[in-house]
Amino acid sequence: MEPGRLEELYDWLRIPSISTGGGEAKDLLAAAEFAAAIVRRAGGEAELVTVEGGNPLVIGELRARDEGAPTVIIYGHYDVQSPGPLEAWQSPPFEPELRGGRLYARGAADDKGNFYPLLVAACGLFESGELAVNVRVVIEGEEEAGGESVAAWVKADERGADCAIVFDSAMEDANTPAITVGLRGCVSTMITVTAQPRDLHSGLYGGSVQNALHVLQQILTPLLPDAEGNLRGELRAGAVPPSAAELESWQQLRPGQEILDEVGATPLASNSGDDFRRRNGAEPSFEVNWIEGGAARTVVPAQARAYVTLRLAPGQDGAAMQAELERLLRNEVPPGVELELESHTATPSLFATDLPAIKIAREAIDRASGMKTALIRSGGSIPVVADFAAAGIPVIVSGFGLADDEIHAPNESFTFDHFDLSERCARELLQALAALPRG
Ligand code: BES
Ligand code: MN
Ligand code: MN
C-alpha cells in the first residue's frame, strides 16, 4: 500500500469513533466524513445518510468502466468498541503505532484497518479507469452497538446489488485466507430485577423478603448449558446441522483444541476442543456477560442487573429466539418482583458454498494471495449480512484479520503485511466479479 494511503488510514484511526458508550457524536460524524472524503477524492460520489437519529451511514458510488457491469456493494464499519482501561494499552488506542510488524490502534483490525484495503482497492481501480464492476460503498457507524440504521437502509434501498463484499472477518490462519460463509446471530438482553423499593438490612429483614440477586440467579440458572455444554432444546430450535461435506471440510482446518489452547481457555465440556467447529459455527450458545447488584455489606439488595447474550446458529429465527429467551427469563420470576428486559437481535446467516459469488471470490483470493482459501464459519456476528441476504444479495464475508488481533480488547492490532495482501486480494476480487451473473 502506498505510504500516503497508510498515512490516511492512521488519520482515520486517530478519530475515536466509539459507538458503544463513552463516544461522542462529533467523532462518529468526523469518521464518517473522513470515509466519504476518501471516495470523493477518488472522483466518486459519497454522502452521509442519517436514519432516525442514528449514527451517519456513508453511502457512495464508484461507477464501472463499462456500461452493463454487475453492481457490488462494499461494506465496512467505522465505529469501534470503547478502548477499555487505558493503562492496559502499551500505546494509546487512538495514536496508531507500528511495533514488531503489527499496527496497534483501536479499530486497526475491527474494522477500519480490515476494511480500508477494500476501499483503497475500489478507489484505486476507479481512479485508473480500470474498475470492472459498479461499486456502491456502504460504511456504517453502529455495527458494534446493535444499531439498526444500515438494516433500514438496506430494506429501503430499491437498487440492490448483485453481491456484497464485507471485510470484517478474519483469515483462518496466517497462511490461509478465508471466506466466512456462516455467521451466528445474537440476542443481547439487559435484565433488570427489582425486588424491593430500596436495599434492606439483612438482619432485620433477611429471610422474610425477596433478594434481587437471588432472583437474578434463579432466572439465569435454567439458561445455562448442561454438563455436555449443550443448551436446552427450546434455545436450539431451528438450528440446522451442517452437511456431511461441510463437517468433512472442517477436518482440514486447524484443530479446535489448538484454538482453545492458544488463549489458555478452560474447556466447557470434555469434547469442546474436538467439537469446536460444529459448536462455534452450528450451535447456539448462551453467556452471562455482566452482573451488577448489592454490596459487600449486610444488605438485601433491592435491584440487580445482568447483560446476557444468546448466540444463534444459522437456521434459527431471530425474533422467535428473542421471544423464547424472554419467556424463559420471565418464567421463574416470583410474584411481586419486577423484571425489565431490553433486547436487540441480529439474525444469523449462511451461504451455500456453490454460489457463483463465493466461487469467484475463492478463486480470486487464491490467485492474488498464492494461498489456498478456506470456507469457514465464524461464531461471531455481523448483523448487516443477514439484511443483505434477506434482500436477495449474496455476501462474500472476508477480511485479513487474525485470531490474535485482540479485537474489542486492549492492544488491538493488525498484521502490517496484510494491508498489502488484502488490497491485492480485494483488487483481484472486484475485477473477477465482473463475471458475476446479473440479477
Ligand atoms: N467484526 C466483528 C465480528 C467478527 C469478528 C466476525 C471476527 C468474524 C470474525 C463485529 O464487529 C462484532 O464484533 N460483532 C458483534 C455484533 C454484536 C454487537 C451484535 C459481535 O459479534 O459481538
Ligand atoms: Mn467488526
Ligand atoms: Mn466488533
Side-chain angles (χ1 to χ4, degrees):
M1 195 171 285
E2 288 165 33
R5 280 296 187 194
L6 279 169
E7 272 311 316
E8 186 174 63
L9 171 61
Y10 289 14
D11 285 341
W12 200 20
L13 289 168
R14 285 187 181 103
I15 305 171
S17 45
I18 303 161
S19 65
T20 56
E24 290 184 38
K26 72 161 176 39
D27 293 320
L28 288 152
L29 177 63
E33 289 284 13
F34 192 96
I38 295 174
V39 178
R40 287 188 204 119
R41 264 200 306 279
E45 294 153 31
E47 52 168 10
L48 302 196
V49 174
T50 303
V51 180
E52 284 172 23
N55 302 334
L57 296 165
V58 182
I59 304 295
E61 172 104 31
L62 297 156
R63 288 235 149 239
R65 160 196 76 189
D66 304 318
E67 290 286 320
T71 298
V72 176
I73 289 176
I74 62 171
Y75 166 94
H77 62 91
Y78 66 77
D79 64 317
V80 298
Q81 291 262 340
S82 84
L86 293 183
E87 57 284 5
W89 285 78
Q90 270 178 265
S91 53
F94 298 106
E95 292 174 27
E97 189 175 288
L98 189 57
R99 288 196 304 274
R102 305 192 62 86
L103 181 67
Y104 288 83
R106 172 56 88 232
D110 189 10
D111 177 41
K112 288 171 182 162
N114 199 2
F115 170 69
Y116 187 68
L118 175 59
L119 182 62
V120 165
C123 289
L125 288 166
F126 179 77
E127 276 179 303
S128 60
E130 295 167 84
L131 187 60
V133 291
N134 291 305
V135 170
R136 301 182 72 193
V137 180
V138 177
I139 313 173
E140 73 157 311
E142 299 173 351
E143 197 277 344
E144 302 289 5
E148 261 123 54
S149 293
V150 78
W153 184 88
V154 171
K155 210 164 175 196
D157 176 54
E158 283 172 9
R159 203 171 130 211
D162 299 296
C163 90
I165 308 173
V166 169
F167 269 23
D168 192 23
S169 185
M171 298 173 77
E172 165 59 13
D173 61 50
N175 303 310
T176 317
I179 297 169
T180 304
V181 294
L183 287 158
R184 288 200 288 185
C186 190
V187 182
S188 327
T189 303
M190 181 66 90
I191 304 171
T192 306
V193 174
T194 309
Q196 307 295 338
R198 60 175 179 85
D199 286 355
L200 297 171
H201 189 287
S202 67
L204 302 184
Y205 297 95
S208 305
V209 300
Q210 291 284 357
N211 176 319
L213 274 171
H214 295 187
V215 173
L216 184 60
Q217 174 170 356
Q218 273 164 16
I219 67 172
L220 291 177
T221 300
L223 299 169
L224 303 185
D226 65 18
E228 279 79 53
N230 297 319
L231 293 186
R232 54 194 296 149
E234 297 100 308
L235 295 179
R236 297 169 80 188
V240 176
S243 68
E246 205 172 2
L247 278 170
E248 169 65 29
S249 76
W250 295 343
Q251 295 293 325
Q252 316 306 313
L253 305 175
R254 218 148 62 91
Q257 189 61 50
E258 205 178 294
I259 295 172
L260 299 184
D261 289 346
E262 213 166 56
V263 290
T266 307
L268 181 56
S270 57
N271 70 345
S272 293
D274 292 342
D275 203 22
F276 178 82
R277 299 275 173 186
R278 193 192 61 81
R279 285 174 181 275
N280 196 246
E283 282 286 336
S285 61
F286 175 81
E287 304 295 334
V288 177
N289 306 106
W290 171 86
I291 286 184
E292 185 182 77
R297 355 183 212 97
T298 54
V299 290
V300 180
Q303 203 171 65
R305 302 210 297 154
Y307 188 76
V308 302
T309 43
L310 176 67
R311 293 282 171 176
L312 304 177
Q316 293 194 285
D317 182 88
M321 295 322 292
Q322 177 182 325
E324 186 55 32
L325 178 68
E326 293 190 348
R327 191 189 68 78
L328 287 167
L329 287 168
R330 290 199 188 280
N331 227 357
E332 307 266 336
V333 182
V337 174
E338 194 195 312
L339 180 68
E340 198 194 316
L341 302 176
E342 208 201 302
S343 304
H344 289 277
T345 296
T347 304
S349 46
L350 182 64
F351 297 95
T353 53
D354 59 0
L355 283 175
I358 304 281
K359 285 187 69 177
I360 292 171
R362 189 180 202 176
E363 288 162 13
I365 298 173
D366 280 357
R367 278 196 304 279
S369 67
M371 299 185 267
K372 188 97 197 67
T373 305
L375 302 185
I376 61 171
R377 294 189 185 193
S378 169
S381 307
I382 307 175
V384 73
V385 175
D387 301 317
F388 286 136
I393 303 171
V395 191
I396 300 158
V397 179
S398 190
F400 290 81
L402 288 175
D404 54 8
D405 290 346
E406 315 223 11
I407 61 170
H408 296 194
N411 303 306
E412 174 180 349
S413 66
F414 191 78
T415 314
F416 188 77
D417 287 344
H418 290 190
F419 290 120
D420 278 341
L421 172 64
S422 179
E423 187 189 349
R424 236 177 21 247
C425 292
R427 284 178 73 102
E428 188 75 21
L429 174 56
L430 286 166
Q431 297 300 71
L433 287 171
L436 203 62
R438 294 200 50 192

